[in-house]
Amino acid sequence: VLYIENNCKKGSKDIIEFVSKVGYTCHWHVTPYFSSANFRENELNIFPETANSINMLCFSSSDPASVEKAKNLPSVTRIDVASGRYLLQEYALSYDGGDGTVLSQLGTMDSCER
């Protein structure tokens, strides 16, 4: 299993193509930076409501059981490499804090702004 940050438009396609070529099936995994169920039970959210961590959860394609299990995981959306859909904004997501929401990665295809 690979867990890879992919929060910028620039380089997103390259990352996804590389990981796919080495034998992994990837899924978007988006979560808010803040969770009220945090370890310290801190209720103060210092992040804007729109602040999300944008990552990919990738499973070896040679392990059909893992790929099948990924279909049932909450808060993941499979990345459709065959259709050339490499950007987060091309998907309506289900994730912790949002459902059917369309989000976008940071920056442009030419630069990543953090």
Side-chain angles (χ1 to χ4, degrees):
V1 176
L2 302 176
Y3 195 69
I4 304 168
E5 180 182 70
N6 189 353
N7 61 4
C8 291
K9 290 177 186 174
K10 180 181 179 183
S12 181
K13 179 180 178 182
D14 295 336
I15 293 168
I16 294 167
E17 283 182 338
F18 174 78
V19 174
S20 296
K21 284 180 184 175
V22 296
Y24 285 82
T25 300
C26 295
H27 300 74
W28 290 114
H29 182 240
V30 178
T31 58
Y33 282 130
F34 177 77
S35 170
S36 58
N38 63 68
F39 177 76
R40 299 219 184 256
E41 299 178 354
N42 187 336
E43 296 178 15
L44 177 62
N45 181 0
I46 62 170
F47 301 103
E49 291 299 318
T50 58
N52 292 292
S53 177
I54 301 170
N55 303 290
M56 298 185 311
L57 184 60
C58 307
F59 299 92
S60 173
S61 300
S62 64
D63 181 7
S66 291
V67 174
E68 190 62 32
K69 285 180 186 177
K71 292 178 183 177
N72 298 318
L73 289 174
S75 303
V76 299
T77 302
R78 185 176 177 159
I79 298 174
D80 187 1
V81 176
S83 295
R85 295 172 59 205
Y86 300 104
L87 297 176
L88 183 64
Q89 67 200 31
E90 298 172 308
Y91 297 85
L93 303 175
S94 289
Y95 69 100
D96 296 336
D99 191 26
T101 303
V102 175
L103 299 174
S104 183
Q105 292 149 287
L106 301 172
T108 67
M109 296 303 287
D110 297 319
S111 69
C112 183
E113 302 160 6
R114 295 180 188 256

